Amino acid sequence: MNDRNNQVTDLFDGYGWVEPQKPAATCRTCKHRERWQCGGSWIQYCGVRKSRRTRNGLLKIKVTLPACQLYEPEKKGGQPCQ
């Protein structure tokens, strides 16, 4: 049985595991991302890209997707309360 295990490990020795690269910018940090509540869940939409498949006309997105060419970083913070 040890010979069998050695054969299997030898089979994959030539292949190096490469970590998938994470995109620098994602839809999660985009200024155009909109969150809509639908029942008990939140659905995220792109405020710029359009879709004919949704009722509100906006493209449904997953926030882990790499950002598109229309990406603008969202502003951190905001105006202080007076």
Side-chain angles (χ1 to χ4, degrees):
M1 190 66 169
N2 281 341
D3 292 334
R4 173 91 173 138
N5 289 338
N6 289 339
Q7 289 175 350
V8 171
T9 56
D10 291 341
L11 179 65
F12 295 105
D13 281 343
Y15 298 99
W17 176 255
V18 177
E19 241 354 91
Q21 292 183 355
K22 294 182 181 178
T26 61
C27 290
R28 181 183 313 267
T29 59
C30 185
K31 168 178 132 176
H32 305 295
R33 178 179 62 110
E34 297 180 11
R35 295 181 59 183
W36 292 47
Q37 187 173 10
C38 181
S41 62
W42 289 91
I43 300 175
Q44 316 246 3
Y45 294 96
C46 179
V48 177
R49 295 165 51 194
K50 305 298 178 196
S51 173
R52 286 186 262 161
R53 295 182 176 199
T54 58
R55 288 185 181 181
N56 60 7
L58 301 174
L59 181 69
K60 188 185 291 186
I61 59 170
K62 294 181 181 176
V63 295
T64 55
L65 291 175
C68 66
Q69 295 88 4
L70 303 172
Y71 173 80
E72 291 181 32
E74 63 185 349
K75 305 273 191 257
K76 297 288 182 179
Q79 295 294 329
C81 297
Q82 296 186 9

Short mmCIF file of all heavy atoms in Angstrom, two decimals, residues 13-81:
data_model
loop_
_atom_site.label_atom_id
_atom_site.label_comp_id
_atom_site.label_asym_id
_atom_site.label_seq_id
_atom_site.Cartn_x
_atom_site.Cartn_y
_atom_site.Cartn_z
N ASP A 13 4.01 15.71 -8.20
CA ASP A 13 5.20 16.47 -7.82
C ASP A 13 5.57 17.54 -8.83
O ASP A 13 6.07 18.59 -8.48
CB ASP A 13 6.40 15.54 -7.61
CG ASP A 13 6.35 14.85 -6.26
OD1 ASP A 13 5.60 15.32 -5.39
OD2 ASP A 13 7.05 13.84 -6.10
N GLY A 14 5.32 17.32 -10.10
CA GLY A 14 5.70 18.28 -11.13
C GLY A 14 4.80 19.50 -11.18
O GLY A 14 5.13 20.50 -11.81
N TYR A 15 3.65 19.44 -10.54
CA TYR A 15 2.70 20.54 -10.58
C TYR A 15 2.82 21.35 -9.31
O TYR A 15 2.56 20.87 -8.22
CB TYR A 15 1.26 20.02 -10.71
CG TYR A 15 1.04 19.25 -11.99
CD1 TYR A 15 1.06 17.87 -11.99
CD2 TYR A 15 0.83 19.90 -13.18
CE1 TYR A 15 0.85 17.15 -13.16
CE2 TYR A 15 0.63 19.21 -14.35
CZ TYR A 15 0.64 17.83 -14.33
OH TYR A 15 0.45 17.14 -15.48
N GLY A 16 3.18 22.61 -9.46
CA GLY A 16 3.26 23.48 -8.29
C GLY A 16 1.92 24.14 -8.06
O GLY A 16 1.26 24.60 -8.99
N TRP A 17 1.48 24.19 -6.82
CA TRP A 17 0.21 24.84 -6.51
C TRP A 17 0.41 26.34 -6.56
O TRP A 17 1.27 26.88 -5.89
CB TRP A 17 -0.28 24.41 -5.13
CG TRP A 17 -1.53 25.12 -4.74
CD1 TRP A 17 -1.61 26.13 -3.84
CD2 TRP A 17 -2.83 24.92 -5.24
NE1 TRP A 17 -2.91 26.56 -3.75
CE2 TRP A 17 -3.68 25.84 -4.60
CE3 TRP A 17 -3.38 24.07 -6.18
CZ2 TRP A 17 -5.04 25.91 -4.86
CZ3 TRP A 17 -4.73 24.15 -6.43
CH2 TRP A 17 -5.54 25.05 -5.78
N VAL A 18 -0.37 26.99 -7.36
CA VAL A 18 -0.28 28.44 -7.51
C VAL A 18 -1.51 29.05 -6.84
O VAL A 18 -2.64 28.70 -7.17
CB VAL A 18 -0.24 28.85 -9.00
CG1 VAL A 18 -0.21 30.34 -9.14
CG2 VAL A 18 0.97 28.21 -9.66
N GLU A 19 -1.29 29.92 -5.89
CA GLU A 19 -2.38 30.62 -5.21
C GLU A 19 -3.07 31.54 -6.20
O GLU A 19 -2.42 32.29 -6.91
CB GLU A 19 -1.78 31.49 -4.13
CG GLU A 19 -2.10 31.31 -2.67
CD GLU A 19 -3.14 30.35 -2.21
OE1 GLU A 19 -2.80 29.22 -1.95
OE2 GLU A 19 -4.30 30.76 -2.06
N PRO A 20 -4.41 31.48 -6.29
CA PRO A 20 -5.10 32.40 -7.21
C PRO A 20 -4.90 33.85 -6.75
O PRO A 20 -4.94 34.14 -5.56
CB PRO A 20 -6.56 32.00 -7.10
CG PRO A 20 -6.67 31.09 -5.94
CD PRO A 20 -5.30 30.61 -5.60
N GLN A 21 -4.66 34.72 -7.71
CA GLN A 21 -4.42 36.12 -7.38
C GLN A 21 -5.73 36.81 -7.06
O GLN A 21 -6.73 36.64 -7.76
CB GLN A 21 -3.74 36.83 -8.54
CG GLN A 21 -2.33 36.34 -8.78
CD GLN A 21 -1.67 37.13 -9.90
OE1 GLN A 21 -2.28 37.96 -10.53
NE2 GLN A 21 -0.41 36.85 -10.13
N LYS A 22 -5.73 37.58 -5.99
CA LYS A 22 -6.92 38.33 -5.62
C LYS A 22 -6.90 39.66 -6.37
O LYS A 22 -5.87 40.30 -6.49
CB LYS A 22 -6.93 38.59 -4.12
CG LYS A 22 -7.06 37.33 -3.31
CD LYS A 22 -7.11 37.61 -1.85
CE LYS A 22 -7.21 36.31 -1.07
NZ LYS A 22 -7.21 36.54 0.37
N PRO A 23 -8.06 40.07 -6.89
CA PRO A 23 -8.09 41.34 -7.62
C PRO A 23 -7.82 42.52 -6.68
O PRO A 23 -8.17 42.49 -5.50
CB PRO A 23 -9.51 41.40 -8.17
CG PRO A 23 -10.30 40.46 -7.34
CD PRO A 23 -9.35 39.41 -6.84
N ALA A 24 -7.21 43.55 -7.20
CA ALA A 24 -6.89 44.73 -6.39
C ALA A 24 -8.17 45.46 -5.97
O ALA A 24 -8.27 45.94 -4.85
CB ALA A 24 -5.98 45.67 -7.17
N ALA A 25 -9.14 45.53 -6.85
CA ALA A 25 -10.39 46.23 -6.54
C ALA A 25 -11.56 45.30 -6.85
O ALA A 25 -11.56 44.59 -7.84
CB ALA A 25 -10.50 47.49 -7.38
N THR A 26 -12.55 45.29 -5.97
CA THR A 26 -13.74 44.48 -6.18
C THR A 26 -14.98 45.36 -6.14
O THR A 26 -14.93 46.52 -5.77
CB THR A 26 -13.87 43.40 -5.08
OG1 THR A 26 -13.97 44.05 -3.82
CG2 THR A 26 -12.67 42.47 -5.08
N CYS A 27 -16.10 44.77 -6.51
CA CYS A 27 -17.36 45.51 -6.48
C CYS A 27 -17.74 45.92 -5.06
O CYS A 27 -18.52 46.84 -4.88
CB CYS A 27 -18.47 44.66 -7.09
SG CYS A 27 -18.32 44.42 -8.86
N ARG A 28 -17.19 45.26 -4.05
CA ARG A 28 -17.51 45.58 -2.66
C ARG A 28 -17.10 47.00 -2.29
O ARG A 28 -17.75 47.65 -1.48
CB ARG A 28 -16.80 44.58 -1.73
CG ARG A 28 -17.09 44.79 -0.26
CD ARG A 28 -16.30 43.83 0.60
NE ARG A 28 -16.34 42.47 0.15
CZ ARG A 28 -17.22 41.56 0.57
NH1 ARG A 28 -18.12 41.89 1.45
NH2 ARG A 28 -17.19 40.33 0.09
N THR A 29 -16.04 47.52 -2.88
CA THR A 29 -15.54 48.85 -2.53
C THR A 29 -15.88 49.90 -3.58
O THR A 29 -15.31 50.98 -3.56
CB THR A 29 -14.01 48.80 -2.34
OG1 THR A 29 -13.41 48.34 -3.55
CG2 THR A 29 -13.63 47.88 -1.20
N CYS A 30 -16.80 49.59 -4.47
CA CYS A 30 -17.16 50.53 -5.54
C CYS A 30 -18.20 51.54 -5.07
O CYS A 30 -19.11 51.22 -4.31
CB CYS A 30 -17.70 49.76 -6.74
SG CYS A 30 -18.04 50.83 -8.16
N LYS A 31 -18.07 52.75 -5.55
CA LYS A 31 -18.98 53.83 -5.22
C LYS A 31 -20.38 53.58 -5.77
O LYS A 31 -21.38 54.02 -5.21
CB LYS A 31 -18.39 55.13 -5.78
CG LYS A 31 -19.29 56.32 -5.79
CD LYS A 31 -18.54 57.50 -6.33
CE LYS A 31 -19.34 58.22 -7.37
NZ LYS A 31 -18.68 59.42 -7.84
N HIS A 32 -20.49 52.86 -6.87
CA HIS A 32 -21.75 52.64 -7.56
C HIS A 32 -22.56 51.47 -7.00
O HIS A 32 -23.67 51.22 -7.47
CB HIS A 32 -21.52 52.42 -9.05
CG HIS A 32 -20.74 53.52 -9.69
ND1 HIS A 32 -21.22 54.80 -9.80
CD2 HIS A 32 -19.51 53.54 -10.23
CE1 HIS A 32 -20.32 55.57 -10.39
NE2 HIS A 32 -19.26 54.81 -10.67
N ARG A 33 -22.06 50.75 -6.02
CA ARG A 33 -22.76 49.60 -5.46
C ARG A 33 -23.98 50.07 -4.67
O ARG A 33 -23.90 51.01 -3.89
CB ARG A 33 -21.83 48.81 -4.54
CG ARG A 33 -22.47 47.63 -3.88
CD ARG A 33 -21.47 46.91 -3.02
NE ARG A 33 -20.96 47.75 -1.96
CZ ARG A 33 -21.24 47.58 -0.67
NH1 ARG A 33 -22.00 46.60 -0.29
NH2 ARG A 33 -20.73 48.39 0.23
N GLU A 34 -25.10 49.41 -4.92
CA GLU A 34 -26.34 49.73 -4.20
C GLU A 34 -26.85 48.47 -3.52
O GLU A 34 -26.80 47.39 -4.10
CB GLU A 34 -27.41 50.24 -5.17
CG GLU A 34 -27.05 51.53 -5.86
CD GLU A 34 -28.15 52.00 -6.80
OE1 GLU A 34 -29.27 51.44 -6.75
OE2 GLU A 34 -27.88 52.92 -7.58
N ARG A 35 -27.34 48.62 -2.30
CA ARG A 35 -27.90 47.50 -1.57
C ARG A 35 -29.41 47.70 -1.44
O ARG A 35 -29.86 48.72 -0.96
CB ARG A 35 -27.28 47.42 -0.18
CG ARG A 35 -25.80 47.12 -0.21
CD ARG A 35 -25.24 47.02 1.16
NE ARG A 35 -25.95 45.96 1.88
CZ ARG A 35 -25.75 45.64 3.14
NH1 ARG A 35 -24.87 46.28 3.85
NH2 ARG A 35 -26.43 44.68 3.71
N TRP A 36 -30.16 46.70 -1.87
CA TRP A 36 -31.62 46.74 -1.79
C TRP A 36 -32.08 45.59 -0.91
O TRP A 36 -31.59 44.47 -1.04
CB TRP A 36 -32.24 46.57 -3.17
CG TRP A 36 -32.02 47.70 -4.12
CD1 TRP A 36 -30.85 48.34 -4.39
CD2 TRP A 36 -32.99 48.32 -4.94
NE1 TRP A 36 -31.02 49.30 -5.33
CE2 TRP A 36 -32.35 49.32 -5.69
CE3 TRP A 36 -34.34 48.12 -5.13
CZ2 TRP A 36 -33.00 50.11 -6.60
CZ3 TRP A 36 -35.00 48.91 -6.04
CH2 TRP A 36 -34.35 49.90 -6.76
N GLN A 37 -33.04 45.88 -0.02
CA GLN A 37 -33.57 44.82 0.82
C GLN A 37 -34.77 44.21 0.13
O GLN A 37 -35.68 44.92 -0.33
CB GLN A 37 -33.98 45.36 2.18
CG GLN A 37 -34.40 44.26 3.13
CD GLN A 37 -34.63 44.77 4.53
OE1 GLN A 37 -34.67 45.97 4.76
NE2 GLN A 37 -34.79 43.86 5.46
N CYS A 38 -34.76 42.89 0.04
CA CYS A 38 -35.86 42.16 -0.59
C CYS A 38 -36.29 41.07 0.39
O CYS A 38 -35.61 40.06 0.52
CB CYS A 38 -35.40 41.56 -1.91
SG CYS A 38 -36.69 40.68 -2.77
N GLY A 39 -37.39 41.30 1.08
CA GLY A 39 -37.82 40.35 2.11
C GLY A 39 -36.83 40.39 3.26
O GLY A 39 -36.57 41.44 3.83
N GLY A 40 -36.25 39.25 3.60
CA GLY A 40 -35.29 39.19 4.68
C GLY A 40 -33.85 39.20 4.22
O GLY A 40 -32.93 39.01 5.02
N SER A 41 -33.59 39.41 2.93
CA SER A 41 -32.21 39.38 2.43
C SER A 41 -31.87 40.68 1.72
O SER A 41 -32.73 41.45 1.32
CB SER A 41 -32.04 38.20 1.47
OG SER A 41 -32.87 38.36 0.36
N TRP A 42 -30.59 40.90 1.57
CA TRP A 42 -30.07 42.08 0.88
C TRP A 42 -29.52 41.63 -0.47
O TRP A 42 -28.77 40.67 -0.55
CB TRP A 42 -28.95 42.73 1.69
CG TRP A 42 -29.46 43.42 2.90
CD1 TRP A 42 -29.60 42.87 4.14
CD2 TRP A 42 -29.92 44.76 2.99
NE1 TRP A 42 -30.12 43.80 5.01
CE2 TRP A 42 -30.31 44.97 4.33
CE3 TRP A 42 -30.04 45.79 2.09
CZ2 TRP A 42 -30.81 46.19 4.77
CZ3 TRP A 42 -30.53 47.00 2.53
CH2 TRP A 42 -30.92 47.20 3.86
N ILE A 43 -29.89 42.36 -1.52
CA ILE A 43 -29.38 42.07 -2.86
C ILE A 43 -28.57 43.28 -3.30
O ILE A 43 -28.96 44.42 -3.09
CB ILE A 43 -30.54 41.81 -3.84
CG1 ILE A 43 -31.34 40.59 -3.34
CG2 ILE A 43 -30.02 41.56 -5.24
CD1 ILE A 43 -32.57 40.29 -4.15
N GLN A 44 -27.42 43.01 -3.90
CA GLN A 44 -26.50 44.08 -4.30
C GLN A 44 -26.62 44.30 -5.81
O GLN A 44 -26.64 43.34 -6.58
CB GLN A 44 -25.07 43.68 -3.94
CG GLN A 44 -24.98 43.07 -2.57
CD GLN A 44 -24.20 43.89 -1.60
OE1 GLN A 44 -23.74 44.97 -1.91
NE2 GLN A 44 -24.04 43.38 -0.42
N TYR A 45 -26.67 45.57 -6.19
CA TYR A 45 -26.79 45.95 -7.59
C TYR A 45 -25.72 46.97 -7.94
O TYR A 45 -25.26 47.71 -7.09
CB TYR A 45 -28.16 46.58 -7.87
CG TYR A 45 -29.32 45.64 -7.71
CD1 TYR A 45 -30.03 45.58 -6.53
CD2 TYR A 45 -29.70 44.80 -8.75
CE1 TYR A 45 -31.10 44.73 -6.38
CE2 TYR A 45 -30.77 43.93 -8.60
CZ TYR A 45 -31.46 43.90 -7.42
OH TYR A 45 -32.52 43.05 -7.28
N CYS A 46 -25.38 47.02 -9.23
CA CYS A 46 -24.48 48.06 -9.74
C CYS A 46 -25.35 49.22 -10.20
O CYS A 46 -26.28 49.03 -10.99
CB CYS A 46 -23.65 47.52 -10.90
SG CYS A 46 -22.54 48.76 -11.60
N GLY A 47 -25.07 50.41 -9.71
CA GLY A 47 -25.88 51.57 -10.04
C GLY A 47 -25.63 52.13 -11.43
O GLY A 47 -26.37 52.99 -11.89
N VAL A 48 -24.60 51.64 -12.12
CA VAL A 48 -24.25 52.17 -13.44
C VAL A 48 -24.62 51.20 -14.55
O VAL A 48 -25.18 51.60 -15.56
CB VAL A 48 -22.74 52.49 -13.50
CG1 VAL A 48 -22.34 52.97 -14.87
CG2 VAL A 48 -22.38 53.51 -12.45
N ARG A 49 -24.30 49.93 -14.35
CA ARG A 49 -24.55 48.93 -15.39
C ARG A 49 -26.02 48.51 -15.37
O ARG A 49 -26.60 48.27 -14.34
CB ARG A 49 -23.62 47.75 -15.19
CG ARG A 49 -22.18 48.17 -15.39
CD ARG A 49 -21.16 47.20 -14.89
NE ARG A 49 -21.36 45.86 -15.36
CZ ARG A 49 -20.72 44.82 -14.82
NH1 ARG A 49 -19.88 44.98 -13.84
NH2 ARG A 49 -20.95 43.61 -15.27
N LYS A 50 -26.63 48.43 -16.52
CA LYS A 50 -28.06 48.14 -16.65
C LYS A 50 -28.30 46.69 -17.00
O LYS A 50 -27.45 46.01 -17.55
CB LYS A 50 -28.69 49.04 -17.71
CG LYS A 50 -28.45 50.52 -17.49
CD LYS A 50 -29.05 50.97 -16.20
CE LYS A 50 -28.76 52.45 -15.97
NZ LYS A 50 -28.98 52.85 -14.61
N SER A 51 -29.51 46.22 -16.68
CA SER A 51 -29.92 44.86 -16.99
C SER A 51 -31.40 44.86 -17.36
O SER A 51 -32.19 45.59 -16.76
CB SER A 51 -29.68 43.95 -15.80
OG SER A 51 -30.23 42.67 -16.04
N ARG A 52 -31.79 44.03 -18.31
CA ARG A 52 -33.19 43.90 -18.67
C ARG A 52 -33.85 42.74 -17.90
O ARG A 52 -35.03 42.49 -18.07
CB ARG A 52 -33.33 43.66 -20.17
CG ARG A 52 -33.08 44.94 -20.96
CD ARG A 52 -33.36 44.71 -22.40
NE ARG A 52 -32.08 44.45 -23.06
CZ ARG A 52 -31.94 43.88 -24.23
NH1 ARG A 52 -32.98 43.47 -24.89
NH2 ARG A 52 -30.75 43.71 -24.74
N ARG A 53 -33.07 42.04 -17.09
CA ARG A 53 -33.59 40.87 -16.38
C ARG A 53 -34.11 41.19 -14.99
O ARG A 53 -34.74 40.34 -14.36
CB ARG A 53 -32.50 39.81 -16.27
CG ARG A 53 -32.10 39.26 -17.60
CD ARG A 53 -31.07 38.19 -17.42
NE ARG A 53 -30.74 37.60 -18.70
CZ ARG A 53 -30.16 36.43 -18.84
NH1 ARG A 53 -29.82 35.74 -17.78
NH2 ARG A 53 -29.90 35.96 -20.03
N THR A 54 -33.83 42.36 -14.46
CA THR A 54 -34.29 42.70 -13.12
C THR A 54 -35.39 43.75 -13.21
O THR A 54 -35.46 44.53 -14.17
CB THR A 54 -33.14 43.25 -12.26
OG1 THR A 54 -32.57 44.39 -12.90
CG2 THR A 54 -32.05 42.20 -12.06
N ARG A 55 -36.25 43.79 -12.20
CA ARG A 55 -37.38 44.72 -12.21
C ARG A 55 -36.93 46.17 -12.11
O ARG A 55 -37.58 47.06 -12.65
CB ARG A 55 -38.33 44.41 -11.06
CG ARG A 55 -39.09 43.15 -11.27
CD ARG A 55 -40.09 42.95 -10.17
NE ARG A 55 -40.81 41.71 -10.40
CZ ARG A 55 -41.75 41.29 -9.62
NH1 ARG A 55 -42.10 41.97 -8.56
NH2 ARG A 55 -42.37 40.16 -9.88
N ASN A 56 -35.84 46.41 -11.38
CA ASN A 56 -35.40 47.80 -11.22
C ASN A 56 -34.45 48.26 -12.33
O ASN A 56 -34.03 49.40 -12.34
CB ASN A 56 -34.74 47.99 -9.85
CG ASN A 56 -33.53 47.12 -9.65
OD1 ASN A 56 -33.08 46.45 -10.57
ND2 ASN A 56 -33.00 47.11 -8.45
N GLY A 57 -34.10 47.38 -13.26
CA GLY A 57 -33.27 47.76 -14.40
C GLY A 57 -31.78 47.82 -14.11
O GLY A 57 -31.00 48.21 -14.96
N LEU A 58 -31.36 47.43 -12.89
CA LEU A 58 -29.94 47.45 -12.53
C LEU A 58 -29.36 46.05 -12.56
O LEU A 58 -30.08 45.07 -12.33
CB LEU A 58 -29.76 48.06 -11.14
CG LEU A 58 -30.28 49.47 -10.95
CD1 LEU A 58 -30.16 49.88 -9.49
CD2 LEU A 58 -29.51 50.43 -11.83
N LEU A 59 -28.08 45.96 -12.81
CA LEU A 59 -27.40 44.66 -12.89
C LEU A 59 -27.13 44.13 -11.49
O LEU A 59 -26.55 44.82 -10.64
CB LEU A 59 -26.08 44.79 -13.64
CG LEU A 59 -25.29 43.51 -13.82
CD1 LEU A 59 -26.01 42.57 -14.78
CD2 LEU A 59 -23.90 43.81 -14.32
N LYS A 60 -27.56 42.89 -11.22
CA LYS A 60 -27.30 42.25 -9.94
C LYS A 60 -25.83 41.82 -9.93
O LYS A 60 -25.34 41.27 -10.92
CB LYS A 60 -28.20 41.04 -9.77
CG LYS A 60 -28.14 40.41 -8.40
CD LYS A 60 -28.96 39.15 -8.31
CE LYS A 60 -30.43 39.42 -8.40
NZ LYS A 60 -31.23 38.20 -8.16
N ILE A 61 -25.12 42.07 -8.83
CA ILE A 61 -23.69 41.76 -8.76
C ILE A 61 -23.39 40.92 -7.53
O ILE A 61 -24.18 40.85 -6.60
CB ILE A 61 -22.83 43.03 -8.71
CG1 ILE A 61 -23.20 43.88 -7.50
CG2 ILE A 61 -22.93 43.81 -9.99
CD1 ILE A 61 -22.25 45.02 -7.23
N LYS A 62 -22.24 40.28 -7.57
CA LYS A 62 -21.65 39.64 -6.40
C LYS A 62 -20.48 40.53 -6.01
O LYS A 62 -19.66 40.89 -6.86
CB LYS A 62 -21.18 38.24 -6.72
CG LYS A 62 -22.32 37.31 -7.05
CD LYS A 62 -21.81 35.92 -7.33
CE LYS A 62 -22.97 35.01 -7.68
NZ LYS A 62 -22.50 33.67 -8.05
N VAL A 63 -20.38 40.88 -4.75
CA VAL A 63 -19.39 41.88 -4.34
C VAL A 63 -17.96 41.34 -4.39
O VAL A 63 -17.02 42.11 -4.29
CB VAL A 63 -19.69 42.44 -2.95
CG1 VAL A 63 -20.98 43.22 -2.97
CG2 VAL A 63 -19.74 41.35 -1.91
N THR A 64 -17.78 40.04 -4.56
CA THR A 64 -16.42 39.49 -4.63
C THR A 64 -15.87 39.47 -6.05
O THR A 64 -14.72 39.10 -6.25
CB THR A 64 -16.40 38.06 -4.07
OG1 THR A 64 -17.38 37.28 -4.77
CG2 THR A 64 -16.73 38.06 -2.58
N LEU A 65 -16.67 39.89 -7.01
CA LEU A 65 -16.21 39.93 -8.40
C LEU A 65 -15.16 41.03 -8.59
O LEU A 65 -15.22 42.05 -7.92
CB LEU A 65 -17.38 40.21 -9.34
CG LEU A 65 -18.41 39.11 -9.48
CD1 LEU A 65 -19.55 39.59 -10.35
CD2 LEU A 65 -17.79 37.87 -10.06
N PRO A 66 -14.23 40.83 -9.51
CA PRO A 66 -13.29 41.91 -9.82
C PRO A 66 -14.05 43.11 -10.39
O PRO A 66 -15.06 42.95 -11.07
CB PRO A 66 -12.37 41.31 -10.87
CG PRO A 66 -12.56 39.84 -10.79
CD PRO A 66 -13.92 39.60 -10.24
N ALA A 67 -13.57 44.28 -10.09
CA ALA A 67 -14.24 45.51 -10.53
C ALA A 67 -14.13 45.69 -12.05
O ALA A 67 -13.17 45.25 -12.67
CB ALA A 67 -13.64 46.70 -9.82
N CYS A 68 -15.12 46.37 -12.61
CA CYS A 68 -15.13 46.64 -14.05
C CYS A 68 -14.43 47.97 -14.35
O CYS A 68 -13.89 48.61 -13.45
CB CYS A 68 -16.57 46.66 -14.56
SG CYS A 68 -17.56 48.01 -13.91
N GLN A 69 -14.51 48.41 -15.60
CA GLN A 69 -13.85 49.66 -16.00
C GLN A 69 -14.53 50.88 -15.39
O GLN A 69 -13.93 51.95 -15.32
CB GLN A 69 -13.86 49.81 -17.54
CG GLN A 69 -13.07 48.78 -18.26
CD GLN A 69 -13.89 47.53 -18.58
OE1 GLN A 69 -15.08 47.47 -18.30
NE2 GLN A 69 -13.25 46.53 -19.14
N LEU A 70 -15.76 50.77 -14.94
CA LEU A 70 -16.51 51.89 -14.37
C LEU A 70 -16.25 52.05 -12.87
O LEU A 70 -16.88 52.86 -12.22
CB LEU A 70 -18.00 51.69 -14.61
CG LEU A 70 -18.40 51.54 -16.08
CD1 LEU A 70 -19.86 51.15 -16.20
CD2 LEU A 70 -18.13 52.82 -16.84
N TYR A 71 -15.32 51.28 -12.34
CA TYR A 71 -15.04 51.28 -10.89
C TYR A 71 -14.53 52.64 -10.42
O TYR A 71 -13.67 53.25 -11.04
CB TYR A 71 -13.99 50.22 -10.58
CG TYR A 71 -13.49 50.25 -9.15
CD1 TYR A 71 -14.24 49.68 -8.13
CD2 TYR A 71 -12.29 50.86 -8.82
CE1 TYR A 71 -13.80 49.71 -6.83
CE2 TYR A 71 -11.84 50.90 -7.52
CZ TYR A 71 -12.60 50.31 -6.53
OH TYR A 71 -12.16 50.35 -5.23
N GLU A 72 -15.11 53.12 -9.33
CA GLU A 72 -14.63 54.30 -8.62
C GLU A 72 -14.63 53.94 -7.14
O GLU A 72 -15.64 53.45 -6.63
CB GLU A 72 -15.54 55.50 -8.85
CG GLU A 72 -15.51 56.02 -10.27
CD GLU A 72 -16.43 57.22 -10.44
OE1 GLU A 72 -16.58 57.99 -9.46
OE2 GLU A 72 -16.98 57.38 -11.52
N PRO A 73 -13.53 54.17 -6.43
CA PRO A 73 -13.51 53.81 -5.01
C PRO A 73 -14.50 54.67 -4.22
O PRO A 73 -14.68 55.85 -4.52
CB PRO A 73 -12.07 54.08 -4.58
CG PRO A 73 -11.51 54.96 -5.62
CD PRO A 73 -12.28 54.74 -6.88
N GLU A 74 -15.16 54.03 -3.25
CA GLU A 74 -16.11 54.79 -2.44
C GLU A 74 -15.37 55.68 -1.45
O GLU A 74 -14.25 55.38 -1.06
CB GLU A 74 -17.06 53.86 -1.70
CG GLU A 74 -16.39 52.94 -0.71
CD GLU A 74 -17.36 51.95 -0.09
OE1 GLU A 74 -18.58 52.11 -0.28
OE2 GLU A 74 -16.90 51.03 0.57
N LYS A 75 -15.98 56.76 -1.10
CA LYS A 75 -15.37 57.71 -0.16
C LYS A 75 -15.51 57.16 1.24
O LYS A 75 -16.57 56.69 1.64
CB LYS A 75 -16.07 59.06 -0.24
CG LYS A 75 -16.10 59.66 -1.63
CD LYS A 75 -14.85 60.45 -1.88
CE LYS A 75 -14.99 61.28 -3.14
NZ LYS A 75 -14.31 60.77 -4.27
N LYS A 76 -14.44 57.21 2.01
CA LYS A 76 -14.47 56.80 3.41
C LYS A 76 -14.97 57.96 4.26
O LYS A 76 -14.59 59.10 4.03
CB LYS A 76 -13.08 56.37 3.89
CG LYS A 76 -12.53 55.18 3.16
CD LYS A 76 -13.25 53.93 3.57
CE LYS A 76 -12.64 52.74 2.86
NZ LYS A 76 -13.25 51.51 3.20
N GLY A 77 -15.79 57.66 5.23
CA GLY A 77 -16.26 58.71 6.12
C GLY A 77 -17.32 59.55 5.43
O GLY A 77 -18.13 59.08 4.67
N GLY A 78 -17.31 60.82 5.73
CA GLY A 78 -18.28 61.73 5.15
C GLY A 78 -18.24 63.05 5.89
O GLY A 78 -17.26 63.38 6.57
N GLN A 79 -19.29 63.81 5.78
CA GLN A 79 -19.35 65.10 6.48
C GLN A 79 -19.60 64.85 7.96
O GLN A 79 -20.45 64.05 8.32
CB GLN A 79 -20.48 65.95 5.90
CG GLN A 79 -20.26 66.35 4.46
CD GLN A 79 -19.07 67.29 4.31
OE1 GLN A 79 -18.78 68.06 5.20
NE2 GLN A 79 -18.40 67.20 3.18
N PRO A 80 -18.88 65.54 8.83
CA PRO A 80 -19.14 65.38 10.27
C PRO A 80 -20.49 65.97 10.65
O PRO A 80 -20.95 66.93 10.03
CB PRO A 80 -17.99 66.14 10.93
CG PRO A 80 -17.49 67.08 9.90
CD PRO A 80 -17.79 66.45 8.57
N CYS A 81 -21.12 65.36 11.63
CA CYS A 81 -22.41 65.86 12.12
C CYS A 81 -22.21 67.17 12.87
O CYS A 81 -21.21 67.38 13.52
CB CYS A 81 -23.06 64.83 13.06
SG CYS A 81 -23.44 63.29 12.24
#
